Amino acid sequence: QASDLDENENAAVTYTLIGADEVLKFLYVSPDGEIISRLPFDHEKTPFFTVTVKAEDNGNPSRYTETVVHITIEDVPDNLPIFLEEDYLFIITKPLSANEPLLTVQAITQDNITDVVYSVENG
């Protein structure tokens, strides 16, 4: 939030965001100087934003200042894991002992998550 040493209506500060259209469709600035999201963010689509905030007083002539704001969107686990194969087929051709591996399945996620938890369910 910016402040102005002028008095009365000349001390009123108006905030404006300056940036690329693809950034401005996500953000706006309130009369109090709060940068607010218009839409939900997705780290995989847009990991960060840079926007300039202009604070202008109501004087005549008006005066203004600008600052650059860097916004980083942290990754959250919002994507489902995907198996590398759509179907896995394993044919047992010999007797197997207990705890012997049958096959290895693998899944990945677009999130920056290194651990995928696997489970076997009845059905």
Side-chain angles (χ1 to χ4, degrees), residues 13-35:
V13 177
T14 302
Y15 298 95
T16 308
L17 290 183
I18 302 168
D21 288 342
E22 64 266 10
V23 172
L24 297 180
K25 75 179 180 182
F26 283 98
L27 305 171
Y28 71 95
V29 63
S30 75
D32 295 330
E34 295 176 319
I35 298 174

Side-chain angles (χ1 to χ4, degrees), residues 63-84:
R63 296 187 182 269
Y64 70 90
T65 187
E66 296 178 353
T67 189
V68 177
V69 177
H70 303 278
I71 301 168
T72 300
I73 309 303
E74 290 190 3
D75 199 7
V76 295
D78 59 346
N79 292 296
L80 296 173
I82 300 169
F83 280 101
L84 295 181

